[in-house]
Amino acid sequence: MSWSDLENRYGDDRVSSACGLFGFIDTTGERHDGQAAISALTSMKERGNGLGAGYAVYGCYPQLAEAYALHVMCRTEDDRNEMARYLAGAFEIVHQEPLPVHSSAGVVDAPLIWRFFCVPRQADDGDKDADEYVVRAVMTANTRMEGAYVYSSGKNLGMFKGVGHPEEIAEYFRVADYAGYLWTAHNRFPTNTPGWWGGAHPFGLLDWSVVHNGEISSYGTNRRYLETKGYHCTMRTDTEVMAYAADLLMRRHGLTPKQAALVMASPLWNEIEVLPEEEQRTCQTIRQTYGPLLMNGPFTVIIARSGELIGLGDRIRLRPLTAAIAGPMLYVSSEIAAVHLIERQVEAVWTPFGGEPVIGRLGEVPECPRAVPKRVARIIEEPTYG
Amino acid sequence: MVDLRWLTSLDLVRSESSEEEIEVDARRLPYRTLNERLAELVRQGASRLRVLAVSGQRYLGTNLMAPVRVAIDGVPGNDLGAFMDGPQIEVMGDAQDGCGNTMNSGLIAVHGSVGDIAGHSMRGGTILVRDNAGYRVGIHMKEYGERCPAIVIGGTAQHFLGEYMAGGVILVLGRSLETGDIHPSRYIGTGMHGGVIYLRGKFDERFLGKEVGVAPLDDDDWATVRQYVFAYARYFDEDPEPLLRGSYAKLYPRTRRPYGRLYAY
């Protein structure tokens, strides 16, 4: 069986565009089961077409929180053995198991999916080097092996994705049974690239996860630049570059999410010209330094890492994103109805300006920016899920 | 040039009526089922509907080709009233993106805010928004003969208001702006080649669309603005007089064919 057998089950080439995004962070760190994310995503069913759905959950492996949780997709048992041999050479494997699945979920042609909880064999040099070691190991595995690859490699982070509708993928991977303080979810309507298991969102590297709606027209430029920094694109879809760009900018180069947003969705030059001098210099420097990582084209993404959620749209907002706050909860969603569906006490709702990131952090009470037009917040008498 | 027929229908919406209001529970209904149920009720003669617990269902009002009144509790989905011809929809909260997309006639009144591209390609009827609006409101709006669509926004709008606008009226009242604030909207009227935008309150002239001119209001403009302000005020129970004070500007297209020479050599 080849990967192409796992692709678009309809064998067609439908082009339309939507994709549904949803995410939340509970800034107190309290963990929530998967039902809220599943209900919210499923309510935006029309945004996808059954060719991909997925969930990322942070804080779901508390017993093995110190090990890197490598999630691996494999075509065959042989491919899995090859991957296991490679990982055993590079890591001490603390625990390994197939992902528990409900085979009755209506999902077809699923690959073998395993998780390996790994500790780098030479991890004495501290966390930073351990992260580098894991990135190199993942890149090596994914470029060398034809029939298996690592699609998630963070600590205390689980990713569950595949070809199917949101509720099918959720049932297949038993997503409702996991609990985490930060969830992101994606409902796919593939347009320019194949709808296959590896191409479903979220995409991840280390504890980064990215879900994306739109297209990154600058993919070629972004990819070539990232290759010079040791990142290799193997998933055949544009979203991948966003995950690697996040890793390069915010982990390796230490940029803040706001600075990273200035790289990926930089203000237009005529807007930079009217900023105060200091900000002008910052924007100019960032554009000159990281020009090849400007993401062109219509997009909205939710980027997450341990303890942090970032919603970002392209600079002229060609894809939707709405943000909402309810006490310690920060929500971002393609459609606000999905938030009202699962949250009774929404206090603030707003449409972020293109290029302005919505940021939620563990331990920080979320705030609505002052300058943005607010929407009505109200209490829905009875939540309709559950 | 202004279509006043809807003013009469507006009175109908807000007045007490002896006609029976039929309630429809939208909970867990897919949008197709819900829209078919509403259409069936209208075929059976219903003239007032209230849809309860709406949660993101799309295209509400699209297939009701009659001047029925529909109240919506909850959050209607994208493309509320898309291609709508006749109904009067009242949303008791916010609407999402694409509200009034290519609407032909009727009324959408929102007791809250709307998302992006409200009134996209609208060609008739009226949208009243009590609060704020997202990006690209009134994009590709157009008018022909007696049909002149109108969008009134009580608060403010985000960028690209009236993008590629070809006809109709957009009025933004700036009620949500605090003293000294300017409208956040940039690139207003980019590609505009017809219609008119009235803005109450200050805006950033450095970021207007290149195709837009700014002028003070003349008597005809004031007559138009007054009508829509009165309609807005009456609908949302506000005092119209303060809304008629303050600085008003008229934004108009400087040419009917801004891109006439774009591909000509």
Side-chain angles (χ1 to χ4, degrees), chain A residues 5-187:
Chain A
D5 295 329
L6 304 181
E7 288 178 5
N8 187 343
R9 71 168 94 149
Y10 303 112
D12 63 9
D13 195 22
R14 282 187 285 184
V15 173
S16 179
S17 66
C19 286
L21 308 185
F22 177 81
F24 71 78
I25 178 169
D26 184 331
T27 55
T28 66
E30 190 186 323
R31 300 196 304 148
H32 301 250
D33 70 32
Q35 194 53 52
I38 297 166
S39 297
L41 188 66
T42 304
S43 78
M44 297 188 284
K45 195 179 171 86
E46 285 83 34
R47 301 193 73 88
N49 66 351
L51 291 177
Y55 303 83
V57 48
Y58 289 78
C60 66
Y61 300 132
Q63 279 88 27
L64 293 161
E66 290 312 307
Y68 291 89
L70 271 57
H71 293 51
V72 178
M73 282 188 186
C74 318
R75 279 188 308 202
T76 65
E77 195 60 36
D78 286 348
D79 295 322
R80 187 189 67 77
N81 287 332
E82 192 188 348
M83 178 62 86
R85 269 198 304 280
Y86 171 78
L87 294 179
F91 298 97
E92 183 195 333
I93 298 174
V94 183
H95 178 67
Q96 58 175 303
E97 62 185 2
L99 256 62
V101 293
H102 278 151
S103 50
S104 60
V107 166
V108 294
D109 298 332
L112 296 172
I113 304 184
W114 277 58
R115 55 191 168 208
F116 298 82
F117 292 88
C118 303
V119 177
R121 285 210 182 275
Q122 49 75 270
D124 319 327
D125 310 340
D127 271 358
K128 203 173 172 196
D129 287 337
D131 282 348
E132 282 300 312
Y133 183 86
V134 172
V135 170
R136 278 199 305 276
V138 169
M139 292 297 154
T140 306
N142 287 357
T143 46
R144 274 200 205 147
M145 270 169 250
E146 281 279 302
Y149 56 87
V150 181
Y151 70 90
S152 176
S153 48
K155 288 179 178 174
N156 212 355
L157 162 64
M159 275 192 210
F160 311 99
K161 66 178 193 177
V163 174
H165 285 287
E167 67 281 13
E168 293 168 350
I169 293 300
E171 194 194 338
Y172 184 70
F173 288 112
R174 304 166 57 171
V175 171
D177 297 345
Y178 293 89
Y181 62 90
L182 192 169
W183 282 84
T184 69
H186 184 265
N187 182 12

Side-chain angles (χ1 to χ4, degrees), chain B residues 233-249:
Chain B
R234 200 162 65 195
Y235 201 91
F236 296 116
D237 294 326
E238 298 286 342
D239 180 2
E241 289 306 327
L243 296 175
L244 287 165
R245 293 196 289 272
S247 65
Y248 270 87

Side-chain angles (χ1 to χ4, degrees), chain B residues 170-204:
Chain B
I170 297 177
L171 170 61
V172 185
L173 296 174
R175 290 181 65 214
S176 60
L177 299 180
E178 295 181 16
T179 317
D181 278 359
I182 62 170
H183 284 284
S185 189
R186 291 182 166 180
Y187 314 111
I188 301 175
T190 297
M192 182 176 181
H193 52 285
V196 61
I197 301 173
Y198 300 108
L199 280 182
R200 176 173 171 270
K202 283 184 275 186
F203 55 95
D204 195 338

Side-chain angles (χ1 to χ4, degrees), chain A residues 46-47 268 270-271 274 316-318 320 335-337 340-341 351 353-354 373-376 378 382 384, chain B residues 27-28 31 55-56 58 74-75 78 94 96-97 112-113 116 131-132 135-136 158-159 186-187 206:
Chain A
E46 285 83 34
R47 301 193 73 88
L268 304 168
N270 64 331
E271 295 179 335
V274 302
I316 54 170
R317 200 183 150 86
L318 290 164
E335 299 182 18
I336 194 62
H340 285 298
L341 181 70
T351 299
F353 283 99
K374 315 287 187 299
R375 300 219 212 150
V376 171
R378 73 202 116 148
E382 190 185 343
T384 41
Chain B
R27 214 170 302 249
R28 292 195 184 84
Y31 75 89
S55 180
R58 297 183 173 197
V75 190
N78 289 359
D94 290 345
Q96 293 192 159
D97 297 340
S113 297
D116 297 340
D131 301 334
N132 298 314
Y135 272 57
R136 297 187 173 78
Q158 289 172 279
H159 301 344
R186 291 182 166 180
Y187 314 111
R206 294 172 302 178

Side-chain angles (χ1 to χ4, degrees), chain A residues 234-271:
Chain A
T234 51
M235 307 286 181
R236 295 185 287 164
T237 184
D238 51 359
T239 308
E240 198 179 4
V241 295
M242 193 66 90
Y244 302 158
D247 187 59
L248 177 71
L249 294 170
M250 290 186 268
R251 183 181 63 84
R252 273 168 65 180
H253 292 183
L255 269 59
T256 64
K258 279 189 177 149
Q259 290 166 333
L262 289 176
V263 173
M264 297 192 272
S266 162
L268 304 168
W269 284 113
N270 64 331
E271 295 179 335

